[in-house]
Amino acid sequence: MFTGIVTATGRITSVTPQGEGDDAGVRLHIHAGDLPMDDVLEGDSIALNGACMTVVEKIPGGFVVDVSRESLNRTSGLDGENDINLEKALRAGDRLGGHLVAGHVDGIGIVCRFEPVAESWKLVIEAPGEMAKYFAYKGSVAVNGVSLTVNEVEDAAGACRFSINLIPHTIEVTTLKNLSPGMKVNLEVDLIARYVERMLSLQASQ
């Protein structure tokens, strides 16, 4: 489990195919930036842009992960040399500064607008229509692994748009500063909303 509070920004420094064919995954070498690595062991979980991955090797200044083709197909930003948000897994007793984040990307969103508003920034994202039921005013969402609050939701045929206000601190310490219209982002809906939807759907079917 994670909280969506980014610990550091790192960078994918190399992407190596793990085999041939369309089903092959990749091995990523990650420069960890300011992420403390002293307590990281092989087998530990670290979220990369919101996607939970397993450390398979520690290297000077970073670590290595293997990413399956399934994960590559369902995420964005893990297939090239990009800056990424990093967060180590939550430990019992840690502060829950954001919200409960599983590290399982639910869908890919498209940035519609990203523009300054006074001292902050307004981010508008279009999500797949099937995810619309999980977004609510003042609800939580993880965007590229960052815990954020939804300020507005607009439903449309086959899609859903929601807006977020980004404070200067969030811009400074995450890779969200690099977004621009048309870019893809990883979305994870609120974990509690997912369970509520499941319970309601079962009640409706009985």
Side-chain angles (χ1 to χ4, degrees):
M1 296 298 295
F2 304 89
T3 69
I5 302 300
V6 171
T7 310
T9 58
R11 183 170 180 83
I12 300 173
T13 57
S14 71
V15 181
T16 305
Q18 291 289 77
E20 298 181 357
D22 296 336
D23 294 331
V26 296
R27 171 161 288 196
L28 305 181
H29 283 68
I30 311 294
H31 183 271
D34 293 331
L35 185 75
M37 293 292 295
D38 292 345
D39 61 344
V40 174
L41 302 173
E42 291 184 12
D44 283 356
S45 296
I46 297 180
L48 280 58
N49 270 5
C52 179
M53 297 295 163
T54 300
V55 175
V56 299
E57 181 184 350
K58 289 182 66 175
I59 57 177
F63 58 97
V64 179
V65 300
D66 291 333
V67 185
S68 69
R69 176 52 51 183
E70 173 71 8
S71 293
L72 291 173
N73 290 342
R74 295 183 177 274
T75 61
S76 175
L78 300 183
D79 57 354
E81 296 181 6
N82 305 302
D83 292 335
I84 52 174
N85 295 316
L86 301 174
E87 181 187 356
K88 290 189 284 190
L90 183 67
R91 296 179 296 186
D94 284 350
R95 291 183 177 180
L96 187 62
H99 70 282
L100 291 175
V101 177
H104 302 154
V105 174
D106 292 303
I108 303 297
I110 304 295
V111 175
C112 299
R113 293 170 58 191
F114 185 55
E115 57 193 21
V117 178
E119 78 284 356
S120 300
W121 289 72
K122 182 175 183 178
L123 174 62
V124 180
I125 296 172
E126 182 170 288
E130 61 269 20
M131 296 180 65
K133 57 190 173 184
Y134 298 114
F135 300 116
Y137 174 65
K138 297 304 180 183
S140 297
V141 62
V143 178
N144 279 356
V146 183
S147 174
L148 299 168
T149 301
V150 176
N151 286 341
E152 185 179 358
V153 181
E154 179 183 354
D155 295 314
C160 170
R161 289 190 177 188
F162 62 92
S163 65
I164 294 165
N165 181 74
L166 301 177
I167 63 173
H169 177 75
T170 303
I171 293 293
E172 179 181 353
V173 301
T174 73
T175 64
L176 297 184
K177 65 174 72 69
N178 300 326
L179 295 179
S180 60
M183 291 184 67
K184 295 180 180 180
V185 291
N186 295 323
L187 301 177
E188 181 181 336
V189 301
D190 182 68
L191 187 63
I192 296 174
R194 191 182 304 161
Y195 282 113
V196 170
E197 191 276 333
R198 172 63 174 166
M199 289 186 289
L200 291 176
S201 66
L202 286 177
Q203 290 178 0
S205 64
Q206 294 177 351

